Amino acid sequence: MRLDKFLKVSRLIKRRTLAKEVADQGRITINGKVVKASTAVKAGDELAIRFGQKVVTARVEELKDTVKKEDAARMFTIIKEEKLEKIEPQFIDDEN
């Protein structure tokens, strides 16, 4: 199954077009490798998705073409969620 379709069906990302945009921006990795929206996903893969200042890591449990809203969460397991440190701009001291 394509990554963008999996993200939509599992409801990790609400719309497939948004999933495609996020993937094409290089904000999704599978097993540590940056991937595109068309990349094939299989059970056991570990996804890391960057949402703004947060990274969500999830393991793919099962693949289904269609699923009810109540059952969508069974398609993956959240491994961890971590906030990214906000990087402060560095100023160069020109007085010296």
Side-chain angles (χ1 to χ4, degrees), residues 42-57:
K42 58 187 182 305
D45 282 347
E46 192 171 292
L47 307 176
I49 308 165
R50 185 166 48 87
F51 296 103
Q53 295 298 315
K54 183 171 77 170
V55 175
V56 175
T57 305

Side-chain angles (χ1 to χ4, degrees), residues 32-92:
K33 183 179 176 185
V34 176
V35 295
K36 294 183 179 181
S38 61
T39 303
V41 177
K42 58 187 182 305
D45 282 347
E46 192 171 292
L47 307 176
I49 308 165
R50 185 166 48 87
F51 296 103
Q53 295 298 315
K54 183 171 77 170
V55 175
V56 175
T57 305
R59 182 177 41 254
V60 177
E61 299 296 341
E62 62 185 3
L63 303 174
K64 293 183 179 181
D65 287 330
T66 58
V67 66
K68 292 181 180 177
K69 186 177 182 179
E70 307 83 49
D71 299 331
R74 293 187 188 141
M75 294 181 69
F76 63 90
T77 301
I78 299 292
I79 298 170
K80 64 182 173 181
E81 290 184 38
E82 52 191 344
K83 287 195 176 229
L84 298 175
E85 296 285 327
K86 190 172 184 179
I87 300 172
E88 295 295 324
Q90 300 294 319
F91 296 101
I92 299 173

